[in-house]
Amino acid sequence: MAERRSCLSKEAKDGLEYLKRKRLQKMRSCSVNETVGLSTMARSGGDALRPSSASSGIRLRVTSSATAPSSTARGGLKKEKVEKFDTDDLKWTERLPECPVYRPTKDEFEDPLTYLQKIFPEASKYGICKIISPLTATVPAGAVLMKEKSNFEFTTRVQPLRLAEWDSDDKVTFFMSGRNYTFREYEKMANKVFARRYCSGGSLPDSFLEKEFWKEIACGKTETVEYACDVDGSAFSSAPGDPLGSSKWNLNKVSRLPKSTLRLIETSIPGITEPMLYIGMLFSMFAWHVEDHYLYSINYQHCGASKTWYGIPGSAALKFEKVVREEVYSDDILSADGEDGAFDVLLGKTTIFPPKILLDHGVPVYKAVQNPGEFIVTFPRAYHAGFSHGFNCGEAVNFAMGDWFPFGAIASCRYAHLNRLPLLPHEELICKEAVLLNSSSKPENLDITPTELSGQRSIKTAFVHLIRFLHVARWSLVKSGLCTGLVSNTYGTIVCSLCKRDCYLAFINCYCYSHPVCLRHDVKKLDLPCGTTRTLFLRDNIEDLETAAKKFEKEDGVSDMIATGEELYTYPSSITLPAAEVDGYSPYSTIYFDFNTDVEMLQPGNPVMSCEANASCISSVADDYECSTSADYVNRRANCSSSSESKHSEEVASSISNKKTRFFSAVQDAQLVADQESDGSDSEGFRVKRRSSLKLENRTVVLDTRDSDHHPEHKRLKNGTSTTKEDVVVAVVLADKEKNC
């Protein structure tokens, strides 16, 4: 069995050896001046761990004491105590309150989102809750993964089982192991590790294993564990006779249910709109983190040992981040000031520390123990962490409802603060939900729950904020006299090249189409190398959307809610409504475009002016990358222009092909720089679990998420998975392919 697995990747070996040398050098002053042989025996992974991974990420100290303390491992090595974390007294584990537990009837269990709206007022106060399913799967997860999923294998990640100082010299990093397992092979390895440690093949009390985990991570002998997280696939059976697999609680269906906002995303995003598997062993962990874009998450435990979860209410998220920033992280690892400093590092999803430090500083923490057949739901902006009690298999996916939009606005604003690429087309989702609400003939007070009504008002409020800002921003743009053209925006969502905000309704572009900019930036200060052309791309139905916004403003509940939160939709713009009104601005007034003909104008043969874009070409963030850079796309657009413009169009096509795509180059450059600044861990290079990147000297990487149903190999990766050539589309290759066709 061991022969079938590959050894550690070169990246993992180099990273592990570098960390080990660096930490040994740091602690040499505390060591005796003698040569001590380092043991490379694998301790936590049975026959699955190679000797080279034994010390991965472990802070080691050499001791000459004749009677080494209990934390000393074989070879005279022990984990160094991290003083900021008190791990001597574990009585706090007995004081943690449990999260709410719900046992719905089969009738209540009919629709998951309807049920969650019912329990939301209570459950959301805790950040997490547990739901015990009244239905059971008749086809076990193992049978699904071994029989229904042919050739199912996965690669594990090596997790150092220790605490860190969290300074520039000592951070926890996870590495891809390079080992492939089948489901049964991993189960056999994990069970062997458990039996070797406890001389038992059965389960042990949850409270005992919780204390064992924190003892082990503080001063135990086990150095690493292997965890298969973010694995593409599902263990829900497709057999029609399986009660749970046939229900709406099958996680393959949740994000596309009628009440889920994510149903409006036309492309599939693994882990967000499609579930992913999490296959763990004793003490494998998921570090403190919050879901991407502050989404909901739902996790189902298929089989195996239980998991311990810790959850923080969304209302305490800022307090949680403050404690982490001040008590866990050192200033030298914070890349941002203020409240975003800790948030940025936490996005790496490798931070683990005992909840006691949160309790000591007044942050509410709730606990759940998840068993097979149980769901755990995390609510928007709820930080959570946990670990496994042995071999198990879980599955998770994200979803969103109307009440999520205020949280999504906060997340989008924070991503812009940190200049991080978004995963979701937030602006597009707002507009599509608002259009549906506006066209609905159903009165909002008829047969609707208070939670659902609140969600609808949240959508309308977000929409009003967005429309109001874009109106005053367009007015300011026209008033500046620097707008050189107006084009119908038939794209889906594009990403601002400056702040990485997603743009659906409007954006400005330059002559070379390499610098799309959202309306939150002062056009007077834009210094673009391709000239002074500033073309506004504006959606055709903008007047209809403004009419809907004016209608929503007058509704009860919405008028009160729009008084706050406007800054979440305007950042980083300096435009304010009061200041604009002083200059003569009137909300929702008709804006007349009077273009400056003295400024360099858009050439008449430009393909984007020649005809409308293929509306289905872009349906979410980054979808336009291929269609706006491939030679075939440019040629299709050029063919719609007059024959007199054909020469110019051919030049544009040739230019794009030769320069190997310049569209959205700023976005590509930013992502490549992030990769290059990685410390060897996947925590930065793979920060966002469904985003892939590739380092190329000529920087021609173009992401493509179009038509993913027909091309399932083009999937963006989750946090920590290996990047392959199928995960990116290189424009020059596409151009050659289209040319040959």
Side-chain angles (χ1 to χ4, degrees):
M1 180 175 69
E3 293 179 356
R4 294 183 65 252
R5 305 177 194 137
S6 59
C7 60
L8 280 170
S9 65
K10 184 178 184 302
E11 177 189 10
K13 286 182 179 179
D14 293 344
L16 297 175
E17 290 303 319
Y18 171 77
L19 287 173
K20 185 172 70 176
R21 288 196 305 271
K22 191 172 183 179
R23 287 170 185 137
L24 285 173
Q25 289 172 1
K26 179 184 176 182
M27 293 175 278
R28 188 168 293 170
S29 59
C30 302
S31 306
V32 296
N33 296 322
E34 59 178 301
T35 302
V36 180
L38 299 182
S39 170
T40 57
M41 289 288 291
R43 302 186 184 98
S44 65
D47 60 357
L49 283 178
R50 300 289 185 185
S52 60
S53 68
S55 302
S56 59
I58 306 300
R59 303 179 72 238
L60 304 174
R61 175 183 291 167
V62 182
T63 177
S64 60
S65 173
T67 57
S70 60
S71 61
T72 303
R74 285 171 287 179
L77 301 176
K78 72 173 184 176
K79 298 173 185 175
E80 183 175 279
K81 181 177 177 61
V82 180
E83 297 296 337
K84 66 178 72 174
F85 304 122
D86 180 11
T87 54
D88 295 330
D89 182 7
L90 295 176
K91 291 183 179 179
W92 61 265
T93 60
E94 302 168 6
R95 302 197 308 268
L96 285 179
E98 299 282 339
C99 75
V101 179
Y102 298 94
R103 295 175 172 81
T105 64
K106 288 186 178 180
D107 290 339
E108 292 175 318
F109 202 70
E110 177 64 25
D111 184 277
L113 301 192
T114 298
Y115 184 73
L116 287 172
Q117 286 181 333
K118 177 182 177 180
I119 66 174
F120 176 87
E122 178 189 34
S124 60
K125 298 176 183 177
Y126 297 84
I128 64 173
C129 73
K130 182 164 74 171
I131 300 174
I132 300 176
S133 171
L135 302 179
T136 57
T138 56
V139 182
V144 173
L145 296 177
M146 297 299 290
K147 296 180 181 179
E148 293 187 19
K149 314 287 184 183
S150 60
N151 302 319
F152 176 76
E153 289 189 347
F154 51 86
T155 304
T156 56
R157 191 183 310 184
V158 176
Q159 294 182 323
L161 203 60
R162 70 179 187 88
L163 296 173
E165 292 286 356
W166 286 104
D167 55 26
S168 58
D169 293 324
D170 183 28
K171 295 179 287 186
V172 170
T173 54
F174 297 163
F175 296 96
M176 299 307 296
S177 70
R179 303 180 189 87
N180 292 329
Y181 291 93
T182 67
F183 185 75
R184 292 306 180 199
E185 286 172 348
Y186 183 88
E187 180 183 19
K188 183 178 179 180
M189 179 276 292
N191 288 338
K192 183 177 180 180
V193 170
F194 188 95
R196 181 184 297 166
R197 180 183 180 102
Y198 294 114
C199 300
S200 169
S203 60
L204 297 173
D206 298 325
S207 58
F208 169 77
L209 287 174
E210 183 180 15
K211 291 184 174 68
E212 282 281 284
F213 173 77
W214 292 110
K215 288 178 183 176
E216 186 61 61
I217 206 170
C219 56
K221 299 179 181 181
T222 301
E223 295 177 356
T224 61
V225 292
E226 291 186 75
Y227 185 33
C229 58
D230 306 337
V231 177
D232 282 318
S234 172
F236 283 94
S237 175
S238 58
D242 188 292
L244 189 59
S246 301
S247 74
K248 294 178 182 178
W249 289 77
N250 180 332
L251 298 193
N252 289 287
K253 305 175 183 178
V254 169
S255 68
R256 301 298 186 182
L257 291 174
K259 291 185 179 182
S260 173
T261 292
L262 301 188
R263 76 195 186 282
L264 300 174
I265 299 179
E266 297 175 18
T267 55
S268 297
I269 307 176
I272 288 187
T273 62
E274 293 180 345
M276 281 187 160
L277 292 168
Y278 299 83
I279 307 171
M281 61 181 292
L282 180 67
F283 299 155
S284 62
M285 62 185 129
F286 48 103
W288 289 106
H289 71 285
V290 69
E291 296 300 310
D292 295 316
H293 288 266
Y294 293 162
L295 291 165
Y296 283 86
S297 76
I298 181 168
N299 183 294
Y300 180 72
Q301 184 90 332
H302 284 287
C303 63
S306 54
K307 284 181 185 176
T308 290
W309 290 68
Y310 303 109
I312 312 295
S315 59
L318 285 179
K319 196 170 185 179
F320 169 88
E321 292 171 4
K322 183 176 185 293
V323 172
V324 175
R325 184 177 72 248
E326 296 177 354
E327 306 297 332
V328 177
Y329 294 150
S330 298
D331 291 339
D332 56 358
I333 69 168
L334 300 179
S335 60
D337 297 329
E339 62 184 26
D340 287 328
F343 175 68
D344 192 33
V345 182
L346 284 163
L347 287 173
K349 300 181 181 179
T350 61
T351 302
I352 193 72
F353 56 84
K356 183 178 184 298
I357 196 170
L358 300 173
L359 297 174
D360 291 344
H361 290 82
V363 178
V365 185
Y366 299 95
K367 179 167 64 176
V369 176
Q370 183 187 23
N371 299 297
E374 298 176 350
F375 292 90
I376 293 289
V377 174
T378 69
F379 291 85
R381 211 181 184 181
Y383 279 94
H384 50 282
F387 61 91
S388 294
H389 298 186
F391 167 77
N392 56 31
C393 177
E395 184 172 335
V397 76
N398 292 119
F399 65 95
M401 296 185 285
D403 57 85
W404 162 78
F405 278 95
F407 297 98
I410 296 171
S412 292
C413 187
R414 299 190 83 177
Y415 287 168
H417 269 284
L418 298 171
N419 211 237
R420 287 186 176 267
L421 285 167
L423 272 173
L424 294 179
H426 182 249
E427 187 174 306
E428 183 176 347
L429 293 177
I430 292 174
C431 294
K432 288 184 175 180
E433 284 283 30
V435 167
L436 290 173
L437 285 177
N438 187 51
S439 61
S440 175
S441 58
K442 178 181 177 182
E444 76 168 16
N445 60 350
L446 180 63
D447 191 26
I448 188 172
T449 65
T451 301
E452 191 171 359
L453 176 60
S454 175
Q456 290 186 0
R457 289 173 176 170
S458 294
I459 294 170
K460 293 175 181 179
T461 301
F463 180 69
V464 169
H465 278 312
L466 178 63
I467 294 298
R468 285 174 57 161
F469 167 72
L470 289 178
H471 187 273
V472 69
R474 294 199 328 274
W475 178 85
S476 178
L477 175 64
V478 172
K479 187 174 183 293
S480 71
L482 297 177
C483 182
T484 60
L486 177 64
V487 175
S488 174
N489 178 18
T490 53
Y491 295 97
T493 290
I494 65 98
V495 178
C496 175
S497 60
L498 297 181
C499 66
K500 307 300 183 292
R501 281 273 201 174
D502 56 295
C503 309
Y504 177 68
L505 293 179
F507 65 95
I508 302 167
N509 216 334
C510 60
Y511 177 75
C512 71
Y513 300 97
S514 297
H515 311 96
V517 176
C518 70
L519 271 61
R520 296 172 178 86
H521 302 280
D522 188 349
V523 69
K524 297 177 183 178
K525 298 179 181 179
L526 293 181
D527 184 18
L528 305 180
C530 56
T532 55
T533 297
R534 302 291 183 268
T535 305
L536 175 63
F537 287 72
L538 183 65
R539 205 154 289 277
D540 286 339
N541 65 338
I542 189 66
E543 292 184 359
D544 294 336
L545 298 176
E546 290 173 350
T547 300
K550 286 191 287 185
K551 170 187 166 185
F552 291 158
E553 277 193 42
K554 299 175 183 178
E555 294 182 5
D556 293 338
V558 177
S559 57
D560 298 331
M561 295 173 67
I562 61 176
T564 59
E566 184 178 3
E567 68 282 354
L568 298 176
Y569 301 87
T570 62
Y571 177 85
S573 174
S574 59
I575 301 173
T576 62
L577 183 59
E581 288 177 337
V582 171
D583 289 339
Y585 170 74
S586 176
Y588 298 120
S589 59
T590 302
I591 299 175
Y592 297 98
F593 286 84
D594 184 14
F595 301 122
N596 183 357
T597 55
D598 296 331
V599 182
E600 177 185 342
M601 294 297 293
L602 199 66
Q603 295 297 323
N606 191 287
V608 177
M609 295 258 324
S610 302
C611 69
E612 292 189 356
N614 181 351
S616 64
C617 188
I618 315 169
S619 56
S620 64
V621 174
D623 284 5
D624 192 46
Y625 289 178
E626 179 195 339
C627 79
S628 298
T629 53
S630 67
D632 177 70
Y633 168 78
V634 177
N635 288 329
R636 289 199 307 270
R637 305 297 292 276
N639 290 337
C640 297
S641 61
S642 64
S643 58
S644 63
E645 300 165 353
S646 60
K647 182 177 179 180
H648 176 78
S649 300
E650 290 173 1
E651 291 174 353
V652 174
S654 175
S655 173
I656 291 179
S657 179
N658 292 335
K659 296 179 181 178
K660 298 182 177 63
T661 180
R662 298 164 61 192
F663 202 76
F664 300 154
S665 60
V667 176
Q668 299 161 18
D669 290 351
Q671 189 166 353
L672 288 162
V673 169
D675 291 338
Q676 292 166 356
E677 293 177 350
S678 173
D679 61 359
S681 164
D682 63 354
S683 62
E684 179 62 28
F686 296 97
R687 176 191 71 83
V688 178
K689 54 194 175 188
R690 285 146 303 258
R691 185 178 301 144
S692 52
S693 60
L694 183 66
K695 296 181 183 178
L696 295 177
E697 292 183 1
N698 57 8
R699 299 189 177 187
T700 61
V701 179
V702 182
L703 296 179
D704 178 26
T705 59
R706 290 189 306 146
D707 200 17
S708 60
D709 292 337
H710 295 87
H711 302 283
E713 68 275 13
H714 293 165
K715 290 184 178 179
R716 280 176 274 183
L717 303 180
K718 285 196 77 175
N719 187 17
T721 54
S722 301
T723 305
T724 63
K725 64 182 180 181
E726 288 82 11
D727 299 312
V728 295
V729 179
V730 183
V732 64
V733 175
L734 283 175
D736 291 341
K737 180 179 178 182
E738 299 285 359
K739 181 178 179 182
N740 293 333
C741 293

